[in-house]
């Protein structure tokens, strides 16, 4: 464990959680935060309840040091996070999902990097739990490990990590740009706005968080459709960056844009091969 006794360098931070009907996980979530080694007097926890109809609000109220902000009508995660950001008291924000549990040193390893003024965003290391053999969870976990390695080296080499995983990441409040409410992938939008300003985004492997990974392919398919749609929203928003011809453009193109355009490039390849095949077989 990291010793935090009399460590004045650790900044105060505000933890923002958007929650909708999270009675199954919210208690474990809040306990994982409060049981961390981070100084309790430097932590503010804000939970925005998105018109929850289960026991989420009741459970949150049972924690004396947690602030509950109730939204009377369904607002969606993005609108809630935008609002919680305005209510946050501290300059360092932790954006995290209700089902993502913290390690005892998660917050310490996130916060330590902000002594460097150039760093504006730090991602955590997502560890998947309850993997099942012969199911989609193993494949998804393998993909996530590979993606995490790419993001780590992007941050280490260039300070240009291409998007946090979204379950838990830290950023400076002054660089948080409100996310358009129609966007489906808010974490990538926040990250790219920071990189546009010339600030750095990195990943911290020692900042471990834990999340159950879906084993139902139908649930995961719906999630992937939402992510894909959100990716094209971000592509439209940040497309002009590709013409800067700098390191940011290179990372954006090589890591994200080519992947997003992959299906269209493959269709073009198959179509061109088909035309060549027809031409070759019809010519005398």
């Amino acid at each position: 464990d990291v010793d935090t006794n009399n460590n004045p360098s650790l900044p105060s931070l505000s933890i923002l959680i958007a929650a909708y009907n999270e009675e199954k996980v919210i208690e474990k979530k809040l306990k994982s935060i409060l049981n961390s080694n981070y100084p309790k007097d430097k932590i503010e926890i804000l939970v925005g309840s998105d018109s929850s109809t289960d026991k989420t609000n009741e459970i949150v109220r049972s924690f004396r040091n947690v602030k509950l902000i109730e939204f009377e009508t369904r607002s969606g995660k993005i609108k809630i996070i935008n609002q919680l950001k305005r209510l946050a008291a501290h300059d360092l924000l932790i954006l995290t999902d209700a089902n993502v549990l913290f390690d005892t040193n998660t917050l310490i390893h996130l916060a330590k990097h902000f002594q460097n003024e150039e760093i504006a965003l730090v991602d955590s290391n997502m560890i998947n739990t309850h993997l099942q053999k012969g199911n989609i969870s193993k494949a998804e976990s393998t993909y996530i490990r590979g993606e995490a390695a790419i993001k780590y080296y992007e941050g280490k080499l260039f300070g240009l990590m291409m998007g946090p995983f979204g379950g838990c990441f830290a950023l400076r409040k002054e660089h948080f740009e409100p996310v358009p409410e129609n966007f489906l992938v808010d974490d990538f939008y926040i990250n790219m706005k920071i990189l546009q300003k010339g600030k750095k985004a990195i990943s911290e492997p020692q900042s471990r968080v834990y999340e159950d990974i879906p084993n139902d392919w139908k649930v995961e398919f719906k999630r992937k459709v939402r992510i894909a749609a959100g990716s094209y929203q971000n592509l439209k928003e940040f497309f002009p960056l590709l013409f800067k011809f700098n390191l940011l453009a290179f990372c954006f193109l090589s890591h994200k844009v080519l992947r997003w355009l992959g299906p269209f490039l493959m269709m073009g390849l198959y179509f061109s091969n088909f035309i060549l095949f027809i031409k070759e077989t019809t010519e005398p």
Side-chain angles (χ1 to χ4, degrees):
D1 286 349
V2 178
D3 182 15
T4 62
N5 293 329
N6 300 317
N7 190 342
S9 65
L10 288 174
S12 296
L13 49 86
S14 296
I15 301 176
L16 314 184
I17 305 171
Y20 171 68
N21 287 355
E22 302 286 2
E23 64 179 8
K24 294 181 180 179
V25 296
I26 193 65
E27 182 175 2
K28 289 182 180 179
K29 170 68 173 190
L30 296 176
K31 285 183 177 179
S32 75
I33 297 173
L34 295 171
N35 290 336
S36 72
N37 290 330
Y38 210 85
K40 303 302 182 290
D41 61 338
K42 293 187 174 184
I43 296 177
E44 175 189 49
I45 305 175
L46 303 176
V47 177
S49 177
D50 194 8
S51 190
S52 296
T53 57
D54 63 358
K55 295 182 180 179
T56 296
N57 295 353
E58 178 183 338
I59 295 170
V60 174
R61 289 194 197 97
S62 69
F63 287 83
R64 183 171 53 88
N65 297 325
V66 178
K67 299 178 183 179
L68 174 65
I69 295 87
E70 298 182 53
F71 290 73
E72 295 182 359
T73 58
R74 289 298 306 278
S75 303
K77 175 185 175 181
I78 290 175
K79 188 173 182 179
I80 288 177
I81 292 299
N82 286 341
Q83 178 65 17
L84 294 183
K85 178 257 184 178
R86 290 191 284 268
L87 298 174
H90 303 306
D91 295 330
L92 181 59
L93 306 180
I94 309 291
L95 273 58
T96 182
D97 293 340
N99 65 323
V100 173
L101 303 182
F102 286 9
D103 185 85
T104 53
N105 295 319
T106 297
L107 294 174
I108 295 170
H109 288 302
L110 284 177
K112 67 184 182 183
H113 291 284
F114 290 92
Q115 296 181 38
N116 183 343
E117 293 296 328
E118 292 186 353
I119 294 176
L121 186 148
V122 181
D123 191 20
S124 61
N125 178 16
M126 182 69 70
I127 297 174
N128 302 124
T129 57
H130 296 97
L131 303 180
Q132 296 181 10
K133 290 184 177 180
N135 217 321
I136 63 167
S137 59
K138 292 287 289 184
E140 178 67 9
S141 179
T142 301
Y143 161 76
I144 289 175
R145 288 199 303 272
E147 183 75 355
I150 294 173
K151 291 182 178 183
Y152 170 73
Y153 287 109
E154 283 174 341
K156 184 176 182 180
L157 293 173
F158 311 124
L160 297 172
M161 181 190 66
M162 285 290 107
F165 279 107
C168 175
F169 62 96
L171 73 155
R172 297 184 191 275
K173 184 179 181 180
E174 63 181 304
H175 297 305
F176 182 107
E177 290 286 341
V179 184
E181 293 179 14
N182 66 319
F183 266 49
L184 299 173
V185 181
D186 54 303
D187 47 8
F188 189 78
Y189 179 91
I190 293 170
N191 185 92
M192 290 299 287
K193 284 294 184 181
I194 284 174
L195 297 182
Q196 270 189 309
K197 297 178 180 179
K199 295 297 183 178
K200 293 184 177 181
I202 65 170
S203 175
E204 173 47 72
Q206 294 187 79
S207 181
R208 301 181 183 90
V209 294
Y210 305 90
E211 180 183 35
D212 283 352
I213 198 166
N215 286 287
D216 186 341
W217 71 267
K218 293 181 180 179
V219 173
E220 186 61 17
F221 179 77
K222 290 181 179 179
R223 191 175 77 90
K224 285 292 192 287
V225 168
R226 179 183 62 82
I227 292 174
S231 296
Y232 288 114
Q233 287 178 315
N234 279 297
L235 176 58
K236 180 180 178 182
E237 175 72 22
F238 298 109
F239 188 74
L241 292 180
L242 296 173
F243 301 97
K244 299 292 185 180
F245 301 105
N246 54 17
L247 277 176
L248 177 55
F250 169 75
C251 291
F252 186 35
L253 174 65
S254 61
H255 188 168
K256 293 297 185 179
V257 176
L258 290 179
R259 180 186 301 176
W260 296 340
L261 297 181
F264 303 103
L265 296 175
M266 291 176 66
M267 286 189 287
L269 178 64
Y270 287 133
F271 181 74
S272 62
N273 283 341
F274 178 75
I275 296 299
L276 290 173
F277 172 77
I278 295 297
K279 184 178 181 181
E280 185 70 22
T281 55
T282 55
E283 287 183 351

